[in-house]
Amino acid sequence: MTYGAFRVAGQVPVAIVGAGPTGITAATLLAQLGVQTLILDRWPDVYPQPRAVHLDDEIYRILARLGIADEFATISRPTRGLRLLDNRFKVLAEFNRDPSCSVHGFPQANMFDQPELEVLLRANLKRYPNARLRSDTEVTAVTEHEGHVRVTFTDRSDGRVHHVDADYVLGCDGANSLVRARIGSAMRDLNFEQRWLVVDVATSQTRGADLRQWEGVHQVCDPVRAGTYMRIGQARYRWEFRLLPGESADDFGTLRALRPLIAPWTGDVPDSDLKLLRVTEYTFRAQIADRWRRDNVFILGDAAHLTPPFIGQGMGAGVRDAMNLSWKIAGVLNGTLAADVLDSYEQERKPHTRSMIRLALNVGQSMTGGGRLGNLARRVVLPRLRWVPGLRDKVVDSTTPALNRSALVCKSRRSRRLAGTLCPNPPLPGGQRLDALLGNGFALVTSEPLGTADHALLRRHGVVVLVAEQGSELEKWLRRGRAAGAIVRPDRTVMCAGRDIAALCGRLDLAPLQLRDNPER
Ligand SMILES: Cc1cc2nc3c(=O)[nH]c(=O)nc-3n(C[C@H](O)[C@H](O)[C@H](O)COP(=O)(O)OP(=O)(O)OC[C@H]3O[C@@H](n4cnc5c(N)ncnc54)[C@H](O)[C@@H]3O)c2cc1C
């Protein structure tokens, strides 16, 4: 069933400005829910420059929902953890991750090349005829027009101007977002700005060049020349170095000029076995937009927030935005959710994003701040960190904060543990993981059998019921959360949890959910 199909030429339920990772994720999720979208992007193809290189298990889980987990596995590399080095490259501390251990069912830290991922995302989108990508198209205006949002764009191949009227517009148009400006939103600075050099190098596979380094992220903790080294593929490596005042990327345009920086990792591998793919300068910023919505226009991804990449979460935040908003818009369009649930997008995502940016700033600061005194403290403290189990777990744990209370996250004093957190994705008897069983709708995960009336109510609402077996991972998860059951939203966030299953089921009858009115059920 397709909701809100193209009614007349020039109209579409959802127009998406920007076909980066955020826009394509939103389009794919909406398409899976039967919503027609038109995606507009200024470039003819994927933006070819490498940027993001890391994503966590939560984002991998979303990629699996998009249908590209297997393909992503072929272009990514789970990483072993984090090694902290001093300015003489002595190891201060090492935190190992177990790639096989994750509540989401995927390795906790994965290295990849952003353009390769974007190629996968776009190829996958072609499977959905209700999503149409129009490239080589510059969006120039987003305005109100007779009860719709009018998106005006120019076809860059012939200069002709067109427009489309949409019920909803998603501004996934990156850091310099036009949509953000059009909704009267502005970036608020979180007081961080640093210039960094970003270096991408390939090694010659035919000649067997391998830098033979520890297979994790290397962080050089040095207030003067902070740096990061990562292996991102079979023959691909990334360095990021803080630039000193007066330096620019032009000073490091050749392998010869880069050698003083990268030699601790490249050793005696000759220049002929290394290929410099890109050297560029980025100004890393921490910013968050003051409003993420005006009427039916939303901003997502880099359009709404920017973070320094110290914990590799910028792109992930955009993918999370897309996952959070897409099912809500689909629900409002198909009449199963009240329109005011759309307020929950900013209420839930903004605090989450802010705390992830703060975490990135803290990680950056604790590894590289404090001058010589900071160096001394790090030399004393860091080697001991791994003996403190709670702290060690924090460094290697990829769990992100719970979402704040909203119309779709119900936290009461007695049952606040699970609400707003993600439900795990364990393998179930039969081999499938939980996500495969839950599909795209609401679900009740319970450790107690249901009464007939509750069963009937849930069936009427089309809610999938999963009874967790005694001793299973799911049952233990509920027990740890002091709950007998949890209502899980389509994005796998727990809406509410508690001991009283009948009361939980009753919540499905309350506004803003109108599941009973779903025409499909
Ligand atoms: C050096 C570096 C390292 C990074 N490392 C990581 C990392 O390890 N992990 C991580 O998660 N993130 C990382 N990031 C961040 C990540 O690259 C971005 O967060 C991500 O690309 C944002 O995706 P997006 O889709 O929101 O925006 P973008 O990727 O910027 O896409 C926006 C799209 O909108 C289009 N567009 C813009 N304006 C218009 C218009 N007017 N009309 C039509 N189209 C338009 C653009 O062409 C573009 O395709 C890193 C970034 C940098 C620079």
Side-chain angles (χ1 to χ4, degrees), residues 317-393:
V319 170
R320 286 186 179 97
D321 294 343
M323 178 48 111
N324 185 287
L325 184 58
S326 51
W327 64 274
K328 294 174 184 169
I329 287 187
V332 174
L333 280 170
N334 72 24
T336 58
L337 291 177
D340 54 11
V341 300
L342 297 177
D343 287 339
S344 68
Y345 165 63
E346 182 173 341
Q347 287 161 2
E348 294 172 2
R349 288 295 306 140
K350 199 184 204 175
H352 186 275
T353 307
R354 192 182 285 115
S355 68
M356 295 303 283
I357 296 176
R358 291 238 158 86
L359 181 63
L361 295 179
N362 286 341
V363 167
Q365 173 67 17
S366 60
M367 289 179 185
T368 58
R372 280 174 57 196
L373 213 61
N375 268 351
L376 186 69
R378 274 184 286 274
R379 227 167 272 144
V380 175
V381 175
L382 290 179
R384 287 163 182 77
L385 276 190
R386 68 201 158 99
W387 304 116
V388 186
L391 214 51
R392 181 195 55 210
D393 293 348

Coordinates of all heavy atoms in Angstrom, one line a residue, residues 317-393:
A317 N 24.8 10.7 13.6 CA 23.7 11.6 14.2 C 22.7 11.8 13.1 O 21.5 11.8 13.4 CB 24.3 12.9 14.8
G318 N 23.1 12.1 11.9 CA 22.1 12.3 10.8 C 21.3 11.1 10.5 O 20.1 11.2 10.3
V319 N 22.0 9.9 10.5 CA 21.3 8.7 10.3 C 20.2 8.4 11.4 O 19.1 8.0 11.1 CB 22.3 7.5 10.2 CG1 21.6 6.2 10.1 CG2 23.1 7.7 8.9
R320 N 20.6 8.8 12.6 CA 19.7 8.6 13.8 C 18.5 9.6 13.6 O 17.3 9.3 13.9 CB 20.3 9.0 15.1 CG 21.3 7.9 15.6 CD 21.8 8.2 17.0 NE 22.7 7.1 17.4 CZ 24.0 7.2 17.3 NH1 24.6 8.2 16.8 NH2 24.7 6.1 17.7
D321 N 18.8 10.8 13.1 CA 17.7 11.8 12.9 C 16.7 11.2 11.9 O 15.5 11.3 12.1 CB 18.2 13.1 12.2 CG 19.1 13.9 13.1 OD1 19.1 13.7 14.3 OD2 19.8 14.8 12.6
A322 N 17.2 10.6 10.8 CA 16.4 10.1 9.7 C 15.5 8.9 10.3 O 14.3 8.8 10.0 CB 17.2 9.6 8.6
M323 N 16.1 8.1 11.1 CA 15.4 7.0 11.7 C 14.3 7.5 12.6 O 13.2 6.9 12.7 CB 16.4 6.0 12.4 CG 15.8 4.8 13.1 SD 14.6 3.9 12.0 CE 15.5 2.4 11.7
N324 N 14.6 8.5 13.4 CA 13.7 9.0 14.4 C 12.4 9.7 13.7 O 11.3 9.5 14.2 CB 14.4 10.1 15.2 CG 13.5 10.6 16.4 OD1 12.6 11.3 16.1 ND2 13.8 10.1 17.6
L325 N 12.7 10.4 12.6 CA 11.6 11.2 12.0 C 10.8 10.4 11.0 O 9.6 10.6 10.8 CB 12.2 12.4 11.3 CG 11.2 13.4 10.8 CD1 10.2 13.9 11.8 CD2 11.9 14.6 10.2
S326 N 11.4 9.5 10.2 CA 10.7 8.9 9.0 C 9.4 8.2 9.4 O 8.4 8.4 8.8 CB 11.7 8.0 8.2 OG 12.3 7.1 9.1
W327 N 9.5 7.3 10.4 CA 8.3 6.5 10.8 C 7.2 7.4 11.4 O 6.0 7.1 11.2 CB 8.6 5.4 11.7 CG 9.1 5.8 13.1 CD1 10.4 6.1 13.4 CD2 8.3 6.0 14.3 NE1 10.5 6.4 14.7 CE2 9.2 6.4 15.3 CE3 7.0 5.8 14.6 CZ2 8.8 6.6 16.6 CZ3 6.6 6.1 15.9 CH2 7.5 6.5 16.9
K328 N 7.6 8.6 12.0 CA 6.6 9.5 12.5 C 5.8 10.2 11.4 O 4.6 10.3 11.4 CB 7.3 10.5 13.4 CG 7.8 9.9 14.7 CD 8.6 10.9 15.5 CE 9.3 10.2 16.7 NZ 10.2 11.1 17.4
I329 N 6.6 10.6 10.4 CA 5.9 11.3 9.2 C 5.1 10.3 8.5 O 3.9 10.6 8.2 CB 7.0 11.9 8.3 CG1 7.6 13.1 8.9 CG2 6.4 12.2 6.9 CD1 8.5 13.9 8.0
A330 N 5.6 9.0 8.3 CA 4.7 8.0 7.7 C 3.5 7.8 8.5 O 2.4 7.6 7.9 CB 5.6 6.7 7.5
G331 N 3.6 7.7 9.8 CA 2.4 7.5 10.6 C 1.4 8.6 10.5 O 0.2 8.3 10.5
V332 N 1.9 9.8 10.5 CA 0.9 11.0 10.4 C 0.3 10.9 9.0 O -0.9 11.1 8.8 CB 1.7 12.3 10.6 CG1 0.7 13.5 10.3 CG2 2.2 12.4 12.0
L333 N 1.1 10.6 7.9 CA 0.5 10.6 6.6 C -0.5 9.4 6.5 O -1.6 9.6 5.8 CB 1.6 10.4 5.6 CG 2.4 11.6 5.2 CD1 3.6 11.2 4.3 CD2 1.5 12.6 4.4
N334 N -0.3 8.3 7.1 CA -1.2 7.2 7.0 C -2.3 7.2 8.0 O -3.1 6.3 8.1 CB -0.5 5.8 6.8 CG 0.1 5.4 8.1 OD1 -0.4 5.7 9.2 ND2 1.1 4.5 8.0
G335 N -2.3 8.2 8.9 CA -3.4 8.4 9.9 C -3.3 7.5 11.1 O -4.2 7.5 11.9
T336 N -2.1 6.9 11.4 CA -2.0 6.1 12.6 C -1.3 6.9 13.7 O -1.3 6.4 14.9 CB -1.2 4.8 12.4 OG1 0.1 5.2 11.9 CG2 -1.9 3.9 11.4
L337 N -0.8 8.1 13.5 CA -0.2 8.9 14.5 C -0.8 10.3 14.4 O -1.1 10.8 13.3 CB 1.3 9.0 14.3 CG 2.1 7.8 14.6 CD1 3.6 8.1 14.3 CD2 2.0 7.3 16.1
A338 N -1.1 10.9 15.6 CA -1.6 12.3 15.6 C -0.4 13.2 15.1 O 0.7 13.0 15.4 CB -2.0 12.7 17.0
A339 N -0.8 14.3 14.4 CA 0.2 15.2 13.8 C 1.1 15.8 14.9 O 2.3 16.1 14.6 CB -0.5 16.3 13.0
D340 N 0.7 16.0 16.1 CA 1.6 16.6 17.1 C 2.7 15.7 17.6 O 3.6 16.2 18.2 CB 0.8 17.2 18.3 CG -0.1 16.2 19.0 OD1 0.0 15.0 18.6 OD2 -0.9 16.6 19.8
V341 N 2.7 14.5 17.2 CA 3.9 13.6 17.5 C 5.2 14.2 16.8 O 6.3 13.9 17.3 CB 3.8 12.1 17.2 CG1 2.6 11.5 17.9 CG2 3.7 11.9 15.7
L342 N 5.0 14.9 15.8 CA 6.1 15.4 15.0 C 7.0 16.4 15.9 O 8.2 16.5 15.6 CB 5.7 16.1 13.7 CG 5.0 15.1 12.8 CD1 4.6 15.8 11.5 CD2 6.0 13.9 12.4
D343 N 6.4 17.0 16.9 CA 7.2 17.8 17.9 C 8.2 16.9 18.6 O 9.2 17.5 19.1 CB 6.3 18.4 19.0 CG 5.4 19.5 18.4 OD1 5.8 20.1 17.3 OD2 4.4 19.8 19.0
S344 N 7.9 15.6 18.7 CA 8.9 14.8 19.5 C 10.2 14.6 18.8 O 11.2 14.3 19.4 CB 8.2 13.4 19.8 OG 8.1 12.7 18.6
Y345 N 10.2 14.9 17.5 CA 11.5 14.8 16.7 C 12.6 15.6 17.4 O 13.7 15.2 17.8 CB 11.3 15.1 15.3 CG 12.6 15.3 14.5 CD1 13.5 14.3 14.4 CD2 12.9 16.6 13.9 CE1 14.7 14.5 13.7 CE2 14.1 16.8 13.3 CZ 15.0 15.8 13.1 OH 16.2 16.0 12.5
E346 N 12.3 16.9 17.5 CA 13.3 17.8 18.0 C 13.5 17.6 19.6 O 14.6 17.6 20.1 CB 12.9 19.3 17.8 CG 13.9 20.3 18.3 CD 13.6 21.7 17.9 OE1 12.9 21.9 16.9 OE2 14.1 22.7 18.5
Q347 N 12.4 17.3 20.2 CA 12.5 17.1 21.7 C 13.4 15.9 22.0 O 14.1 15.9 23.0 CB 11.1 16.8 22.3 CG 10.2 18.0 22.4 CD 8.7 17.6 22.5 OE1 8.4 16.4 22.5 NE2 7.8 18.6 22.5
E348 N 13.3 14.9 21.2 CA 14.1 13.7 21.4 C 15.6 13.8 20.9 O 16.5 13.4 21.5 CB 13.5 12.4 20.8 CG 12.1 12.1 21.4 CD 11.4 11.0 20.7 OE1 11.9 10.5 19.7 OE2 10.3 10.7 21.1
R349 N 15.7 14.3 19.7 CA 17.0 14.2 19.0 C 17.9 15.3 19.4 O 19.1 15.1 19.5 CB 16.8 14.3 17.5 CG 16.2 13.0 16.8 CD 17.2 11.8 17.0 NE 18.5 12.2 16.4 CZ 19.6 11.8 17.0 NH1 19.6 11.1 18.1 NH2 20.8 12.2 16.5
K350 N 17.4 16.5 19.8 CA 18.3 17.6 20.1 C 19.1 17.3 21.3 O 20.4 17.5 21.3 CB 17.5 18.9 20.2 CG 18.4 20.2 20.1 CD 17.5 21.4 20.3 CE 17.9 22.6 19.7 NZ 17.0 23.7 19.9
P351 N 18.5 17.0 22.4 CA 19.3 16.7 23.6 C 20.3 15.5 23.4 O 21.4 15.5 23.9 CB 18.3 16.3 24.7 CG 17.0 16.7 24.2 CD 17.1 16.8 22.7
H352 N 19.9 14.5 22.7 CA 20.8 13.4 22.4 C 22.0 13.9 21.6 O 23.1 13.5 21.9 CB 20.0 12.3 21.6 CG 20.7 11.0 21.4 ND1 21.6 10.9 20.3 CD2 20.7 9.9 22.1 CE1 22.1 9.7 20.4 NE2 21.6 9.0 21.4
T353 N 21.7 14.7 20.6 CA 22.8 15.1 19.7 C 23.7 16.0 20.6 O 25.0 15.9 20.5 CB 22.2 16.0 18.6 OG1 21.3 15.2 17.9 CG2 23.3 16.4 17.6
R354 N 23.1 16.9 21.4 CA 24.0 17.8 22.2 C 24.9 17.0 23.1 O 26.1 17.3 23.3 CB 23.1 18.7 23.0 CG 23.9 19.8 23.7 CD 23.1 20.8 24.5 NE 22.3 21.7 23.8 CZ 21.0 21.7 23.8 NH1 20.3 20.9 24.6 NH2 20.3 22.6 23.1
S355 N 24.4 15.9 23.7 CA 25.2 15.1 24.6 C 26.3 14.4 23.9 O 27.4 14.2 24.4 CB 24.4 14.3 25.6 OG 23.8 13.3 24.9
M356 N 26.0 14.0 22.6 CA 27.1 13.3 21.8 C 28.2 14.3 21.5 O 29.3 14.0 21.4 CB 26.5 12.6 20.6 CG 25.5 11.5 20.9 SD 26.2 10.2 21.8 CE 27.2 9.3 20.6
I357 N 27.7 15.5 21.1 CA 28.8 16.6 20.8 C 29.6 16.9 22.0 O 30.8 16.9 21.9 CB 28.1 17.9 20.3 CG1 27.3 17.6 19.0 CG2 29.1 19.0 20.1 CD1 26.6 18.8 18.4
R358 N 29.0 16.9 23.2 CA 29.7 17.2 24.4 C 30.7 16.1 24.7 O 31.8 16.3 25.1 CB 28.8 17.3 25.6 CG 27.9 18.6 25.6 CD 28.1 19.5 26.8 NE 27.7 20.8 26.5 CZ 26.5 21.3 26.6 NH1 25.5 20.5 27.0 NH2 26.2 22.5 26.3
L359 N 30.3 14.8 24.4 CA 31.2 13.7 24.6 C 32.4 13.8 23.7 O 33.5 13.7 24.1 CB 30.4 12.4 24.4 CG 31.2 11.1 24.5 CD1 31.6 10.9 26.0 CD2 30.3 9.9 24.1
A360 N 32.1 14.2 22.5 CA 33.2 14.4 21.5 C 34.2 15.5 22.0 O 35.4 15.3 22.0 CB 32.7 14.7 20.1
L361 N 33.6 16.6 22.5 CA 34.5 17.7 23.0 C 35.3 17.2 24.2 O 36.5 17.5 24.3 CB 33.6 18.9 23.3 CG 32.9 19.5 22.2 CD1 32.1 20.7 22.6 CD2 33.9 20.0 21.1
N362 N 34.6 16.5 25.1 CA 35.3 16.0 26.3 C 36.5 15.0 25.9 O 37.5 15.1 26.5 CB 34.4 15.3 27.3 CG 33.5 16.3 28.0 OD1 33.8 17.4 28.0 ND2 32.3 15.8 28.5
V363 N 36.2 14.1 25.0 CA 37.2 13.2 24.6 C 38.4 14.0 24.0 O 39.5 13.7 24.3 CB 36.6 12.2 23.6 CG1 37.7 11.4 22.9 CG2 35.7 11.2 24.3
G364 N 38.1 14.9 23.1 CA 39.1 15.7 22.5 C 39.9 16.5 23.6 O 41.2 16.5 23.6
Q365 N 39.2 17.1 24.5 CA 39.9 17.8 25.5 C 40.7 17.0 26.5 O 41.9 17.3 26.8 CB 38.8 18.6 26.3 CG 39.3 19.3 27.6 CD 40.2 20.5 27.2 OE1 40.2 21.0 26.0 NE2 41.0 21.0 28.2
S366 N 40.1 15.8 26.9 CA 40.9 15.0 27.9 C 42.1 14.4 27.2 O 43.1 14.0 27.9 CB 40.0 14.0 28.5 OG 39.5 13.1 27.5
M367 N 42.1 14.2 25.9 CA 43.2 13.6 25.3 C 44.3 14.6 24.9 O 45.5 14.3 24.8 CB 42.8 12.8 24.0 CG 42.0 11.6 24.4 SD 41.5 10.7 22.9 CE 40.5 9.4 23.7
T368 N 43.9 15.8 24.7 CA 44.8 16.7 24.1 C 44.9 18.1 24.8 O 45.8 18.9 24.4 CB 44.5 17.0 22.6 OG1 43.1 17.5 22.6 CG2 44.5 15.8 21.8
G369 N 44.1 18.3 25.8 CA 44.1 19.6 26.4 C 45.1 19.7 27.6 O 45.8 18.8 27.9
G370 N 45.2 20.9 28.2 CA 45.9 21.0 29.4 C 47.4 21.3 29.3 O 48.1 21.3 30.3
G371 N 47.9 21.5 28.1 CA 49.3 21.8 27.9 C 50.2 20.8 28.6 O 49.9 19.6 28.6
R372 N 51.4 21.2 29.1 CA 52.4 20.3 29.6 C 51.9 19.6 30.9 O 52.2 18.4 31.1 CB 53.7 21.0 29.9 CG 54.5 21.2 28.6 CD 55.7 22.0 28.8 NE 56.6 21.5 29.8 CZ 57.6 22.2 30.4 NH1 57.8 23.4 30.1 NH2 58.4 21.7 31.3
L373 N 51.1 20.3 31.7 CA 50.5 19.7 32.9 C 49.6 18.6 32.5 O 49.5 17.5 33.1 CB 49.7 20.8 33.6 CG 49.7 20.7 35.1 CD1 51.2 20.8 35.7 CD2 48.9 21.8 35.7
G374 N 48.8 18.8 31.4 CA 47.9 17.8 30.9 C 48.7 16.6 30.5 O 48.3 15.4 30.8
N375 N 49.8 16.8 29.8 CA 50.6 15.7 29.4 C 51.1 14.8 30.6 O 51.0 13.6 30.5 CB 51.9 16.2 28.7 CG 51.6 16.3 27.2 OD1 50.6 15.8 26.7 ND2 52.6 16.9 26.5
L376 N 51.5 15.5 31.6 CA 52.0 14.8 32.8 C 50.8 14.0 33.4 O 51.0 12.8 33.7 CB 52.5 15.9 33.8 CG 53.2 15.3 35.0 CD1 54.5 14.6 34.6 CD2 53.4 16.4 36.1
A377 N 49.7 14.7 33.6 CA 48.5 14.0 34.2 C 48.2 12.7 33.3 O 47.9 11.7 33.9 CB 47.3 14.9 34.2
R378 N 48.2 12.9 32.0 CA 47.8 11.8 31.1 C 48.8 10.6 31.3 O 48.4 9.4 31.4 CB 47.8 12.2 29.7 CG 46.5 12.8 29.3 CD 46.5 13.1 27.8 NE 47.3 14.3 27.5 CZ 46.8 15.5 27.5 NH1 45.6 15.7 27.8 NH2 47.6 16.5 27.2
R379 N 50.1 11.0 31.4 CA 51.1 9.9 31.6 C 50.9 9.2 32.9 O 51.2 8.0 33.0 CB 52.5 10.6 31.6 CG 53.5 9.9 30.6 CD 54.7 10.6 30.4 NE 54.6 11.5 29.2 CZ 55.1 12.7 29.1 NH1 55.8 13.2 30.1 NH2 55.0 13.4 28.1
V380 N 50.4 9.8 33.9 CA 50.2 9.2 35.2 C 48.9 8.4 35.2 O 48.8 7.3 35.6 CB 50.3 10.2 36.3 CG1 50.0 9.6 37.7 CG2 51.6 10.9 36.4
V381 N 47.9 9.1 34.7 CA 46.5 8.5 34.9 C 46.1 7.5 33.8 O 45.6 6.4 34.2 CB 45.5 9.7 34.8 CG1 44.0 9.1 34.9 CG2 45.7 10.7 36.0
L382 N 46.4 7.8 32.6 CA 45.9 6.9 31.5 C 46.4 5.4 31.6 O 45.6 4.5 31.4 CB 46.3 7.5 30.1 CG 45.5 8.7 29.8 CD1 46.0 9.2 28.4 CD2 44.0 8.5 29.8
P383 N 47.7 5.2 31.9 CA 48.0 3.8 32.0 C 47.2 3.0 33.1 O 47.2 1.8 33.0 CB 49.5 3.8 32.4 CG 50.0 5.2 32.0 CD 48.8 6.1 32.2
R384 N 46.7 3.7 34.0 CA 45.9 3.0 35.1 C 44.4 2.9 34.8 O 43.7 2.1 35.4 CB 46.1 3.8 36.4 CG 47.5 3.6 36.9 CD 47.9 4.6 38.0 NE 49.3 4.3 38.4 CZ 50.3 4.7 37.7 NH1 50.2 5.3 36.6 NH2 51.6 4.4 38.2
L385 N 44.0 3.6 33.7 CA 42.5 3.6 33.4 C 42.0 2.2 33.2 O 40.9 1.9 33.6 CB 42.2 4.4 32.2 CG 42.1 5.9 32.4 CD1 41.6 6.5 31.1 CD2 41.1 6.2 33.5
R386 N 42.8 1.4 32.5 CA 42.2 0.1 32.1 C 42.0 -0.8 33.3 O 41.4 -1.9 33.1 CB 43.1 -0.6 31.0 CG 44.4 -1.0 31.4 CD 45.3 -1.2 30.2 NE 46.7 -1.1 30.6 CZ 47.4 -2.2 30.8 NH1 47.0 -3.3 30.6 NH2 48.7 -2.0 31.2
W387 N 42.6 -0.5 34.4 CA 42.4 -1.3 35.6 C 41.1 -0.9 36.3 O 40.7 -1.5 37.3 CB 43.5 -1.2 36.6 CG 44.8 -1.6 35.9 CD1 45.9 -0.8 35.7 CD2 45.1 -2.9 35.3 NE1 46.9 -1.5 35.0 CE2 46.5 -2.7 34.8 CE3 44.5 -4.1 35.2 CZ2 47.1 -3.8 34.1 CZ3 45.1 -5.1 34.5 CH2 46.4 -5.0 34.0
V388 N 40.4 0.1 35.9 CA 39.2 0.6 36.5 C 38.0 0.1 35.6 O 37.7 0.7 34.6 CB 39.1 2.1 36.6 CG1 37.9 2.6 37.4 CG2 40.4 2.7 37.2
P389 N 37.4 -1.1 36.0 CA 36.5 -1.7 35.0 C 35.4 -0.8 34.5 O 35.1 -0.7 33.3 CB 35.9 -2.9 35.8 CG 36.9 -3.1 37.0 CD 37.6 -1.8 37.2
G390 N 34.7 0.0 35.4 CA 33.6 0.9 35.0 C 34.1 1.8 33.9 O 33.4 2.0 32.9
L391 N 35.2 2.4 34.2 CA 35.8 3.5 33.3 C 36.2 2.8 31.9 O 35.9 3.3 30.8 CB 37.0 4.1 33.9 CG 37.2 5.6 33.7 CD1 35.9 6.3 33.9 CD2 38.3 6.1 34.6
R392 N 36.8 1.7 32.0 CA 37.3 1.0 30.8 C 36.1 0.6 30.0 O 36.1 0.9 28.8 CB 38.0 -0.3 31.2 CG 38.5 -1.1 30.1 CD 38.9 -2.5 30.5 NE 37.8 -3.2 31.1 CZ 37.9 -4.1 32.1 NH1 39.1 -4.5 32.5 NH2 36.8 -4.7 32.6
D393 N 35.0 0.2 30.6 CA 33.8 -0.2 29.8 C 33.3 1.1 29.1 O 32.8 1.0 28.0 CB 32.7 -0.8 30.7 CG 33.2 -2.1 31.3 OD1 34.2 -2.6 30.8 OD2 32.5 -2.6 32.2

